């Protein structure tokens, strides 16, 4: 059985270089990396991954924490996070809090015990009293002190969406979306909506509360009951958009003839007949997922990481 020394000798490099290639670390030229990989293939070298993990105090396992799994955005996010982790030699554990913060605390404890190497967070909860900035943690959208986060350009893309609604002749436009208990880039969508309405001299109709996934229906019913003359809605999230569609089907309100709707996410709006009825801000889910993994691995390796990584969303209308 070939050893790492055999690989180094065959490739004409040092053992440290072979180790960096095996661990997908920086500081190795593409030419040298190619020689090492060719030597590994030629000699059929395999390493004892478990022994490597014990020596490095790593499990090569990362966790993804999301509120729920049966949500189109989170499901797609998990798919690309797992793919990017796999490319970097990591496995993924996915955990949904299901509105129980205790499940998130349990995963943080796993991280402290080194049962997992890092966590990618999508949460509705705050962690002001938890020193997660010292841990290999990356957040998506949510703000925690000194914790890097990945997001889309929520404010700018939301302004574009709201201005489009105005350009379509809408004058009674509402914003509807859930709130988080932690500071979040998601709330930039509501701020953009308010700014556009005030700049255009239009009424601000804001329906935003802390709700659980699956509770969008009652919030939508409340919005339309209190505002029967709505001709436009900017909905934060596809789940909220589907609740609006169900309400309109039940009440006979035609989309888009009587009500223009813009959805922020667009994960499951792009396909099918909704594409021709609903305008949407399409988040770059794949790019967000891959950027979160790259940032997490950098934190695991104790490399410097930017506090905020913002990616451009795309507004798509029929």
């Amino acid at each position: 059985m070939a050893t790492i020394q055999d690989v180094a000798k065959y490739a004409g490099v040092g053992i440290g270089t072979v180790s960096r290639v095996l661990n997908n670390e920086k500081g190795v030229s593409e030419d040298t990396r190619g020689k090492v990989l060719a030597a590994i293939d030629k000699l059929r070298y395999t390493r004892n991954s478990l022994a490597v993990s014990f020596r490095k105090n790593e499990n090569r396992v990362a966790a993804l924490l999301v509120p729920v799994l049966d949500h189109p955005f989170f499901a797609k996010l998990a798919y690309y996070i797992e793919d990017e982790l796999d490319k970097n030699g990591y496995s993924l554990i996915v955990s949904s809090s299901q509105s129980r913060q205790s499940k998130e605390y349990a995963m943080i404890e796993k991280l402290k015990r080194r049962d997992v190497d890092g966590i990618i967070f999508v949460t509705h909860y705050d962690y002001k009293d938890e020193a997660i900035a010292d841990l290999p943690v990356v957040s998506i959208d949510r703000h925690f002190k000194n914790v890097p986060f990945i997001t889309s350009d929520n404010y700018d893309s939301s302004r574009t969406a709201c201005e489009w609604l105005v350009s379509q002749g809408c004058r009674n436009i509402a914003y509807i979306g859930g709130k988080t208990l932690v500071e979040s880039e998601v709330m930039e969508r509501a701020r953009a909506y308010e700014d556009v309405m005030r700049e255009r001299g239009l009424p601000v109709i804001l329906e935003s509360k802390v709700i659980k996934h699956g509770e969008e229906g009652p919030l939508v019913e409340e919005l339309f009951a209190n505002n029967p003359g709505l001709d436009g809605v900017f909905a934060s999230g596809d789940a909220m958009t589907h609740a609006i569609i169900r309400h309109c089907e039940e009440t006979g309100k035609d989309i888009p003839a009587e009500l223009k709707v813009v959805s922020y996410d667009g994960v499951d709006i792009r396909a099918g007949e909704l594409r021709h009825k609903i305008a949407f801000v399409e988040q770059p889910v794949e790019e967000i997922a891959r950027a979160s993994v790259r940032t997490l691995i950098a934190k695991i390796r104790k490399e410097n990481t930017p506090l905020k990584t913002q990616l451009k969303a795309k507004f798509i209308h029929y």
Side-chain angles (χ1 to χ4, degrees), residues 34 44 65 69 76-77 86 104 106 108 121 133 161 165 172 181 201 217 223 225 228 238 240 263-264 268 292 314:
R44 296 183 178 179
L65 290 176
L69 290 174
K76 192 172 183 180
L77 183 75
D86 181 67
E104 297 184 357
I108 292 173
F121 248 119
L165 284 169
N172 289 291
L181 296 173
L223 172 68
D238 287 353
M240 193 68 72
S263 179
Y264 201 106
D268 59 352
S292 68
K314 183 189 299 181

Side-chain angles (χ1 to χ4, degrees), residues 35 63 80 126 140 183 229 294:
K35 290 179 181 178
Y80 287 117
D126 206 347
I140 294 178
E183 185 181 354
R294 290 193 296 269

Side-chain angles (χ1 to χ4, degrees), residues 50-104:
L50 184 60
V52 171
S53 294
F54 280 131
R55 287 198 302 273
K56 297 182 68 177
N57 201 19
E58 285 184 6
N59 298 290
R60 310 293 288 183
V61 175
L64 170 64
L65 290 176
V66 294
V68 291
L69 290 174
D70 60 335
H71 186 289
F73 178 82
F74 297 140
K76 192 172 183 180
L77 183 75
Y79 173 85
Y80 287 117
I81 284 176
E82 182 174 32
D83 183 65
E84 187 67 18
L85 282 169
D86 181 67
K87 289 179 179 178
N88 286 276
Y90 283 79
S91 298
L92 176 65
I93 296 174
V94 181
S95 178
S96 62
S97 67
Q98 297 172 329
S99 301
R100 299 200 300 272
Q101 193 175 13
S102 59
K103 295 188 70 175
E104 297 184 357

